């Protein structure tokens, strides 16, 4: 009788849902992204979240899903850096609250990014050296971008 060795391997893919309460900051949102598994949804409960620094959405498939959610953004530089493939931000109102220098509210630098059903308020004035832009696309070639149903104000 022949004996066979059988090796079984199991892989576990963790996908989670994380819920944040309002009154959180960019640090809390970044910590939630850092704690989430790729492909997770982060539910942003109703209320205002203050983003004074960049939040890097840097895990594949992370979805930021708002529900009467406001991001109050201020300062200079990027606020949402969509740097991993397949990430999305949906159903969020983003309001730029100051005019302290150049600000890019959403920076896209990955494939298959979704920006959907958001309301974005910038403070762009042609010729003004201090401005905010709703979205900026890094140099390069990106595919599968889905930008739909958004309302963007200057």
């Amino acid at each position: 009788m022949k004996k066979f060795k059988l090796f079984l391997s199991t892989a576990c893919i963790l996908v989670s849902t994380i819920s944040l309460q309002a009154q959180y900051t960019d640090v809390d949102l970044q910590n939630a992204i850092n704690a989430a598994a790729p492909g997770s949804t982060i539910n942003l409960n109703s209320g205002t979240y203050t983003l004074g620094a960049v939040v890097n959405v840097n895990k594949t498939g992370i979805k930021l899903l708002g529900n009467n959610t406001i991001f109050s953004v201020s300062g200079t530089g990027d606020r949402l850096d969509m740097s991993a493939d397949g990430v999305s931000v949906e159903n969020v109102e983003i309001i730029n609250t100051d005019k302290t220098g150049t600000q890019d509210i959403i920076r896209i630098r990955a494939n298959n990014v979704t920006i959907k059903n958001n309301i974005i308020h910038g403070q762009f004035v042609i010729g003004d050296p201090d401005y905010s832009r709703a979205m900026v696309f890094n140099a390069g070639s990106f595919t599968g971008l889905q930008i739909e149903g958004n309302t963007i104000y200057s």
Side-chain angles (χ1 to χ4, degrees):
M1 177 183 286
K2 291 186 179 182
K3 292 186 179 181
F4 294 94
K5 289 187 177 181
L6 179 63
F7 295 96
L8 295 176
S9 173
T10 60
C12 181
I13 299 174
L14 299 175
V15 176
S16 60
T17 300
I18 297 172
S19 293
L20 288 180
Q21 301 299 318
Q23 307 311 321
Y24 279 99
T25 67
D26 46 74
V27 173
D28 300 305
L29 183 52
Q30 187 65 64
N31 287 340
I33 292 167
N34 294 346
S40 295
T41 297
I42 298 175
N43 290 317
L44 305 164
N45 291 320
S46 179
T48 300
Y49 298 72
T50 303
L51 308 183
V54 65
V55 173
N56 191 357
V57 188
N58 57 358
K59 289 187 179 176
T60 302
I62 291 288
K63 182 179 198 175
L64 302 179
L65 184 60
N67 177 18
N68 294 313
T69 304
I70 296 172
F71 285 168
S72 175
V73 300
S74 62
T76 60
D78 302 336
R79 286 301 157 259
L80 290 174
D81 183 1
M82 312 299 273
S83 62
D85 291 344
V87 299
S88 66
V89 60
E90 299 181 25
N91 305 323
V92 175
E93 184 169 8
I94 305 170
I95 301 172
N96 183 359
T97 61
D98 68 357
K99 205 163 182 286
T100 60
T102 304
Q103 183 184 91
D104 299 321
I105 297 171
I106 300 173
R107 178 173 297 278
I108 297 173
R109 55 188 185 109
N111 295 310
N112 303 311
V113 171
T114 300
I115 309 295
K116 185 175 179 182
N117 298 327
N118 300 290
I119 301 170
I120 304 170
H121 304 267
Q123 293 195 25
F124 180 78
V125 177
I126 293 176
D128 188 341
D130 291 335
Y131 58 85
S132 66
R133 297 180 284 205
M135 279 179 260
V136 173
F137 303 86
N138 268 30
S141 175
F142 301 112
T143 61
L145 300 180
Q146 185 179 9
I147 300 171
E148 64 180 57
N150 299 289
T151 302
I152 301 173
Y153 297 98
S154 64

